Amino acid sequence: MLALIVAILVTVSDQWTKLVVRADFALGESRPVIDGFFNLTYVRNTGAAWGILGGQNTWLTMLSVVMLVLMVIFRRSFLSDTWEHRLALGLMLGGILGNLMDRVRLGWVTDFFDFYLGSWHWPAFNIADAAICTGVGIYILSAFWVHQHPLNDGRTAPSETTAPPAP
């Protein structure tokens, strides 16, 4: 249930913020939030993260659909039954769905978070991108925690089985 709630919250907030940006900004318009560090800038991204595979909207749309289906079907084989993994799944599903909705409706993804420091500039991104990256990070860190930490509350990773103690 946690994964579903998080996925819905991410998708709705992502789509709402993108709608506001498209309605209130001209393409390429930038408004400073924190001078010298953070702007809101309306960008259309036809690629994946950081503009990789620009112009490959059809391929990226198909990849998104395949990933959504695989994640839902095989979630029990790669997720442990922890709140961290359910949160990670919800973030990833909501993020993929948010960007997929843009790709299908518009043919591009709306990006607007624009961070920079001096001449260093991070590519613009959106709530869906942040959710996907955060979800992957939580999944990796929590999977390591479950496998490695001696105080893991008795939780097991998805590939582990509980064997009876040796005599």
Side-chain angles (χ1 to χ4, degrees):
M1 185 62 113
L2 175 63
L4 180 61
I5 292 168
V6 170
I8 290 169
L9 287 174
V10 167
T11 303
V12 169
S13 63
D14 176 68
Q15 289 297 296
W16 179 76
T17 55
K18 290 174 178 176
L19 179 67
V20 169
V21 168
R22 287 191 302 268
D24 293 347
F25 286 68
L27 181 60
E29 180 182 353
S30 188
R31 297 181 192 168
V33 176
I34 302 172
D35 279 331
F37 180 67
F38 174 50
N39 292 340
L40 294 176
T41 304
Y42 177 18
V43 177
R44 291 179 180 172
N45 183 356
T46 61
W50 308 291
I52 298 169
L53 300 174
Q56 300 296 318
N57 192 58
T58 302
W59 188 84
L60 291 168
T61 299
M62 290 187 301
L63 178 62
S64 296
V65 170
V66 167
M67 288 306 299
L68 282 172
V69 169
L70 290 176
M71 288 174 73
V72 169
I73 291 173
F74 294 108
R75 70 188 179 279
R76 288 199 166 96
S77 63
F78 68 89
L79 294 174
S80 62
D81 188 29
T82 64
W83 70 267
E84 297 95 340
H85 278 190
R86 291 190 298 272
L87 174 63
L89 179 65
L91 289 167
M92 290 185 284
L93 291 175
I96 293 169
L97 187 57
N99 281 341
L100 178 61
M101 291 170 73
D102 273 15
R103 289 187 195 289
V104 169
R105 278 192 353 263
L106 306 171
W108 69 81
V109 172
T110 303
D111 288 336
F112 53 90
F113 292 133
D114 183 21
F115 287 90
Y116 59 97
L117 191 57
S119 63
W120 179 83
H121 191 263
W122 189 262
F125 61 99
N126 57 48
I127 289 175
D129 297 332
I132 293 167
C133 292
T134 302
V136 169
I138 290 171
Y139 175 78
I140 291 169
L141 290 173
S142 64
F144 176 77
W145 177 267
V146 168
H147 281 293
Q148 300 297 325
H149 200 278
L151 301 174
N152 68 9
D153 299 352
R155 299 180 291 185
T156 58
S159 61
E160 295 176 358
T161 58
T162 311

